[in-house]
Amino acid sequence: MITDFPAAPLPLPSEAELDEELAALGGDALIPKALRRTLFPVITKEDVFNLMLAQRQDPQKVVSDFADAYRDYVGANHALPTASGTSSLHMALVGAGVQPGDEVIVPAFTFIATAQAVVAAHAVPVFVDIDPVTYCMDPEAAASAITERTRALMPVHVHGLPADVPALRALADRHGIALVEDASHAHSARIGDRVAGSLGDAAGQSLMADKNFPLGGEGGIAFFSTPEAHDRAVTYLERHGIDYGMSWIAAAFGASQLRRLPYYDRIRARNAALLGEALDGTGLFSPPHVPDGHVHAYNMYRITLRPEAAGLDDLPVHAVKEAVHELLVAEGVPAREWQNTPIPCHLPFRSRDGFGNGYPFSLNPGAVRDHRPEDFPVTLGMLDSTLVLCRELRSPVEYERALRYADAFRKVARRPDAIRKRVEAGDYRRPYEKAARLG
């Protein structure tokens, strides 16, 4: 039987463990292999009862009630529940008025679905580099990419940190184009008192089972600022005979999960602060930057390496990152790369077959570029020098587990000699030189 309880409790860490040999060199791991598994989402009796009771209701009412409740939570004006995050982004673009052949500016660093949704709307994605601190769309890069055929900016609140919406909003208004959020990582993220999903003209958001706010399987939701945008998306579905409807099972599960979302948010924020304090003390590692007035949702937690702080700046930063990655994993910390190459260098945007015969790229050949990874130097630098924790700060991650993650970073940072030796003995390639990965 699958249970939300771990096999055994992790003991609270001790200072003495930090001085023990690294696990990769024969010492004991801070988190033993038998105790490394974490489970998400949490499934409670309320979730099960809600699913059972929902069987007595009209399926469409279950979905619409969920969509209304979550729309109110976000503070959006209109909502359209969908079957997936990608379909929600597609509908957000359609609702915002994107037409075949239009250009939509997207960041080169995101999940591939951001750009695929643009193609689904029969438009052409135009890729720009990211901000070197937040890793979200760089407003200056976006400004340089605007042409007379640009219809929308599509920033991604990557990892759960809202993009620079004030700057992008001003840019969009100056050029008379739409601002469409990809809020798929950003459940409960905010700028001031406004929640991601309610910041632009439209937004799409994934609600799949590995997100901070999970539905039962796949799901998504599109938000719109005006009734005209909402009606445009609904009419599009009807006219084309597309079934993007959300499952009532997913909605019923989401309805009870929504009640616990504020609790999950507080646990993640606590664990992120705990880990951030530890990272700041190592010198070698830095936590995510959060601009003033922004609330990070921590769907992912991207950690930046500072080799110069450990006397390792004579080594290639990507090799230091790889060596550190191996040492952390041996200690039981599930650090990883998330993405390893800019999205425009993935096969669908290199071959540009689209729907066949190059459509919709053929509608606007002037917007098409044959990109190389080097076209996005900030993205490459970020991929070279950062690692990610994905689910490891969420509830039900135990407090003692979060403490042990923090201690693993401290333990590795104390051993620049081991990092150097590993780099000098290894043959590490830059991330984009490997096979492109979706995640």
Side-chain angles (χ1 to χ4, degrees), residues 42-341:
V42 180
I43 301 174
T44 68
K45 63 180 183 299
E46 287 82 7
D47 297 320
V48 176
F49 290 161
N50 211 45
L51 285 167
M52 295 173 66
L53 292 172
Q55 294 183 74
R56 300 180 180 179
Q57 302 177 48
D58 175 65
Q60 289 305 312
K61 186 176 188 309
V62 174
V63 174
S64 63
D65 285 352
F66 164 75
D68 288 345
Y70 189 44
R71 183 202 64 216
D72 290 345
Y73 178 89
V74 169
N77 293 333
H78 306 274
L80 176 63
T82 66
S84 68
T86 306
S87 58
S88 76
L89 295 169
H90 180 190
M91 288 300 94
L93 290 163
V94 169
V98 171
Q99 296 290 319
D102 285 345
E103 297 168 20
V104 177
I105 296 174
V106 299
F109 173 62
T110 178
F111 186 61
I112 198 170
T114 307
Q116 286 178 318
V118 176
V119 176
H122 301 177
V124 179
V126 175
F127 297 96
V128 300
D129 215 341
I130 57 174
D131 180 272
V133 177
T134 65
Y135 307 142
C136 297
M137 179 187 284
D138 180 356
E140 291 187 8
S144 298
I146 292 175
T147 74
E148 62 181 13
R149 298 198 65 174
T150 303
R151 182 60 66 96
L153 305 177
M154 196 174 188
V156 179
H157 306 316
V158 72
H159 303 338
L161 177 66
D164 188 351
V165 172
L168 294 168
R169 175 80 273 172
L171 177 63
D173 290 347
R174 191 158 64 246
H175 290 273
I177 58 180
L179 180 65
V180 179
E181 305 168 67
D182 182 343
S184 293
H185 289 178
H187 314 85
S188 301
R190 299 193 305 277
I191 298 178
D193 59 358
R194 295 187 63 187
V195 178
S198 71
L199 303 171
D201 298 298
Q205 187 173 72
S206 172
L207 300 172
M208 68 179 295
D210 75 341
K211 294 296 191 290
N212 287 344
F213 177 34
L215 268 59
E218 272 284 3
I221 192 164
F223 297 113
F224 307 94
S225 62
T226 67
E228 292 79 12
H230 175 266
D231 292 346
R232 193 179 294 123
V234 171
T235 301
Y236 180 96
L237 293 176
E238 293 172 349
R239 184 170 71 248
H240 293 280
I242 298 172
D243 182 5
Y244 274 169
M246 177 183 285
S247 160
W248 71 267
I249 296 174
F253 185 79
S256 52
Q257 288 282 322
L258 179 58
R259 300 185 192 106
R260 299 199 298 278
L261 182 56
Y263 169 77
Y264 296 150
D265 293 340
R266 288 193 293 270
I267 293 293
R268 284 194 314 280
R270 181 202 69 184
N271 290 346
L274 183 158
L275 185 56
E277 183 178 357
L279 295 174
D280 276 332
T282 65
L284 179 59
F285 302 107
S286 295
H289 173 76
V290 182
D292 289 343
H294 287 52
V295 174
H296 200 314
Y298 298 111
N299 184 74
M300 299 182 192
Y301 190 95
R302 187 166 288 272
I303 297 156
T304 302
L305 274 74
R306 311 289 184 193
E308 66 278 6
L312 300 171
D313 47 323
D314 59 312
L315 301 173
V317 64
H318 72 275
V320 173
K321 188 271 301 272
E322 290 276 13
V324 166
H325 181 203
E326 293 168 358
L327 296 174
L328 287 168
V329 170
E331 297 294 341
V333 176
R336 55 177 289 197
E337 288 181 335
W338 185 79
Q339 307 298 326
N340 68 342
T341 198

Side-chain angles (χ1 to χ4, degrees), residues 385-406:
S385 61
T386 61
L387 289 168
V388 171
L389 297 178
C390 289
R391 302 182 181 188
E392 291 73 34
L393 300 181
R394 299 175 182 169
S395 177
V397 169
E398 316 95 293
Y399 179 64
E400 57 268 32
R401 185 179 299 271
L403 291 174
R404 285 187 171 271
Y405 288 154

